[in-house]
Amino acid sequence: MIWTKLAKFCTWGYVMACVFKSDNSGANAQGDEGLLSNHAYSIIACRELDDGTRLIKLHSCWGCGGWNGAWGRGSDEWSNPDYAAFKQEVECVSMQDEGLFWIPYEDFIESFNRIYVNRLFPPFWHQLTLHCGWHGTAAGGPYMIDGNLSSTWACNPQFRITSRKAGEILLCLQQKDPQISHGTYVAKGEREFSYGLVLFRTSSGRHGRLWELEDSDLMHDTGLTAAKEVAITIRITPKQPLLAIPYTSRQGQEGPFVLRSFSSLPVEVEQLAAPLSLVVSGHWNGCSAGGQRRHPTWASNPQYMLNVEHKTTVVISLSRPDIRHSIIPPKFKPDEVLSLVVTTPELSDEGLGPRLGIRSAEDVIAEKDTDGMAECVLRLELEPETPYVLVPSLSMPSKEAPFELRILSGIPLELTPLPQKKTVTLNGSWTREMSGGCNLNPGWNKNPMFTLTTTTKGSYRISLLLCKGRWKRNQSLDRMIGFYILSSGGKAGEAVERAKTTILAETPFIPENTMACQYELHSDATYVVMPTTYSPNQLGEFSLSVSSTEDFTLTEVVKLKQQSMKRE
């Protein structure tokens, strides 16, 4: 493989050099067979003789450090009559130069560990040069950070490369010469700036940015290096344009670079527009620290409505600025792990609003739970004219912390904070023992009950929603839903015993899946909320939500003695 390439490169006139790089020996330390370590030799020619012997012609510009082994100057091979013609040929060329010598290919491989190739292109090849850099938000860093997906990798400069014909293309990415920026030579191992180039295949119909790395489309990744330049040689076809993305070793690492293309046919290199970045800051505190969606208070978390005018892919990042910018990483706390849910808005008589809870898996469009505290990243494809609701949270309720929500997109989008309210959602069900119907039925007190305790006077919105066994059109009206608010006098049991005399409010029963009403409730009061169906024995699951700007508690009455009541 190496021999074939070297032979081709010599034929094509490439400028090449080789060296034995060693940290254990000084500059120009001479080995047993005359070669010098850490000393560059020019590769002049490759020659394969009739008997299969493969030789490489090298040159030392200082005229010393020649090869003393087989095929070296004065070796027995030159006296062999079988090689007389070859000897006459090379002596007539330039063997008078003491820096020139021949070395067998096998010894060449054993003696050198670096080969440098300076490719020279024919005059009919095409060259493009773009001066760019990693600056500001475009300094996106690597794809993975501490084992987690980076939210900023897609912000790196991206270049779409297209061609009308199939052919070969070489991409060369160069950073600023470290010797120029530092004023002196800096060894690779001591250079702070490292970078790489990743190349993807894409489709002719795709023109936007790449937001997520897909292994099936990955063609080549140079990996990180501190060298002055990296290069990739690959074939390009009209049906398969390329996408080149230069990146650095860490987010925020700025610096200029030059991207050059050399190709056997005309190509177009287009730098894609930088992504739009929308950032909002918030805080989980007090009632707005609702915890993950497995908790009843999840809907109390800050909520944001997101809208786009055209179909697009977005990257949503939820992060903790207090952790991301801390000098000393804080100790891991499982109660403060980040979570992000994308769902649909709640529909009420007031229009689209904050989500009151998640009733089924169908309500969740996307969800990302991490095992870290610093950042949570979610990539999502959004549809136009479809409102979305973003709900950031910590793993446990009542945990206070600042957060930053960042959305990256190729097109403008609209993000609107929704009204902040405390919301508690509890799930329940009408079972055979607890489905007494409305108060027109003798056993109507045998329904699930919930206690609502207020601390301050205010407006409270109570919502009842069918989860499973939903009411359907043309279905019996027996399954219509509604609820009662009873005055408990501080004890839920008293509300049951005096149910009909303690009814403070009742909703109409309607053939819908949702019933919601707004009530003005007193401070320091306890109420009983009783969800019911119109007729008894209508089994099914439901969720009960209470939402308010005031503080309150909502709990299910699980050990309440149900007593029969006489119909009044």
Side-chain angles (χ1 to χ4, degrees), residues 396-562:
M396 294 297 292
S398 304
K399 296 296 180 181
E400 300 189 355
F403 68 84
E404 182 179 271
L405 196 62
R406 179 188 301 268
I407 304 178
L408 302 174
S409 171
I411 63 173
L413 49 82
E414 180 183 359
L415 188 68
T416 306
L418 295 176
Q420 190 74 43
K421 293 183 179 181
K422 178 178 180 178
T423 302
V424 178
T425 300
L426 297 178
N427 295 324
S429 62
W430 292 291
T431 64
R432 295 187 183 277
E433 296 77 19
M434 300 288 286
S435 54
C438 69
N439 64 352
L440 299 178
N441 301 286
W444 78 285
N445 63 316
K446 295 181 179 179
N447 279 298
M449 293 186 182
F450 300 81
T451 58
L452 171 61
T453 303
T454 62
T455 57
T456 54
K457 182 180 179 180
S459 179
Y460 295 80
R461 183 177 182 83
I462 303 177
S463 304
L464 176 65
L465 175 70
L466 281 175
C467 296
K468 295 184 179 179
R470 295 189 175 188
W471 192 90
K472 299 178 181 178
R473 191 174 297 276
N474 300 324
Q475 192 176 18
S476 170
L477 297 181
D478 293 339
R479 194 162 179 74
M480 295 188 298
I481 62 172
F483 59 85
Y484 298 92
I485 299 180
L486 313 177
S487 175
S488 69
K491 295 181 180 180
E494 296 180 6
V496 176
E497 296 173 359
R498 302 177 291 104
K500 290 208 170 177
T501 61
T502 58
I503 294 178
L504 299 179
E506 59 181 298
T507 65
F509 286 81
I510 59 174
E512 297 288 344
N513 293 321
T514 304
M515 166 55 70
C517 289
Q518 197 89 10
Y519 298 100
E520 292 292 329
L521 301 181
H522 296 286
S523 62
D524 298 323
T526 299
Y527 303 87
V528 172
V529 183
M530 178 190 293
T532 74
T533 55
Y534 184 75
S535 297
N537 301 318
Q538 301 298 313
L539 310 184
E541 297 183 2
F542 65 85
S543 66
L544 182 70
S545 299
V546 178
S547 181
S548 176
T549 56
E550 313 297 336
D551 192 19
F552 64 90
T553 59
L554 180 68
T555 57
E556 183 178 7
V557 181
V558 293
K559 292 183 179 181
L560 179 62
K561 180 180 179 181
Q562 302 295 332

Side-chain angles (χ1 to χ4, degrees), residues 10-271:
C10 288
T11 303
W12 295 340
Y14 290 3
V15 178
M16 296 183 289
C18 58
V19 65
F20 176 72
K21 200 84 170 175
S22 175
D23 297 331
N24 299 324
S25 56
N28 300 329
Q30 194 164 24
D32 295 338
E33 294 179 312
L35 295 177
L36 302 176
S37 61
N38 300 313
H39 176 87
Y41 293 84
S42 301
I43 301 176
I44 306 300
C46 295
R47 183 69 178 271
E48 185 170 358
L49 305 182
D50 295 338
D51 62 354
T53 301
R54 296 181 294 185
L55 301 175
I56 296 179
K57 187 178 183 180
L58 302 181
H59 180 256
S60 173
C61 61
W62 286 278
C64 59
W67 171 252
N68 296 331
W71 287 98
R73 285 178 174 272
S75 64
D76 296 339
E77 285 77 11
W78 296 106
S79 302
N80 191 328
D82 295 338
Y83 303 124
F86 176 63
K87 177 182 178 182
Q88 183 179 5
E89 175 188 340
V90 299
E91 283 183 344
C92 292
V93 177
S94 57
M95 285 304 287
Q96 294 88 354
D97 187 342
E98 294 184 358
L100 285 172
F101 60 90
W102 292 84
I103 181 174
Y105 171 70
E106 292 74 16
D107 293 317
F108 172 84
I109 295 298
E110 292 291 331
S111 302
F112 299 97
N113 54 15
R114 298 285 192 281
I115 299 177
Y116 300 94
V117 179
N118 186 7
R119 188 170 182 178
L120 302 180
F121 298 96
F124 59 85
W125 272 49
H126 302 266
Q127 176 180 343
L128 293 174
T129 302
L130 287 87
H131 294 267
C132 194
W134 299 282
H135 300 293
T137 58
Y143 185 69
M144 302 291 290
I145 299 178
D146 297 330
N148 297 314
L149 295 180
S150 168
S151 62
T152 58
W153 172 82
C155 296
N156 285 301
Q158 298 190 11
F159 301 87
R160 191 171 189 266
I161 306 168
T162 56
S163 173
R164 296 183 178 180
K165 297 181 180 179
E168 183 184 9
I169 182 173
L170 181 141
L171 293 176
C172 179
L173 179 65
Q174 294 179 318
Q175 67 159 316
K176 186 176 181 180
D177 193 333
Q179 296 188 55
I180 297 177
S181 58
H182 290 81
T184 182
Y185 174 75
V186 180
K188 276 188 186 180
E190 300 176 3
R191 298 174 188 172
E192 296 181 357
F193 197 95
S194 57
Y195 67 107
L197 178 64
V198 63
L199 196 63
F200 295 89
R201 63 171 63 89
T202 182
S203 60
S204 56
R206 181 174 182 175
H207 300 279
R209 298 181 68 85
L210 183 68
W211 296 99
E212 188 170 8
L213 191 154
E214 299 176 2
D215 292 338
S216 59
D217 295 332
L218 178 62
M219 300 187 71
H220 193 86
D221 187 355
T222 64
L224 292 170
T225 179
K228 181 181 177 181
E229 67 177 17
V230 293
I232 298 175
T233 301
I234 205 164
R235 285 191 62 80
I236 185 173
T237 62
K239 295 183 179 180
Q240 197 172 78
L242 305 177
L243 196 65
I245 305 178
Y247 62 94
T248 58
S249 59
R250 67 177 185 271
Q251 177 187 348
Q253 193 173 29
E254 297 186 345
F257 67 80
V258 176
L259 182 67
R260 295 191 299 165
S261 70
F262 303 88
S263 57
S264 58
L265 69 166
V267 298
E268 293 183 2
V269 181
E270 173 194 5
Q271 182 174 0

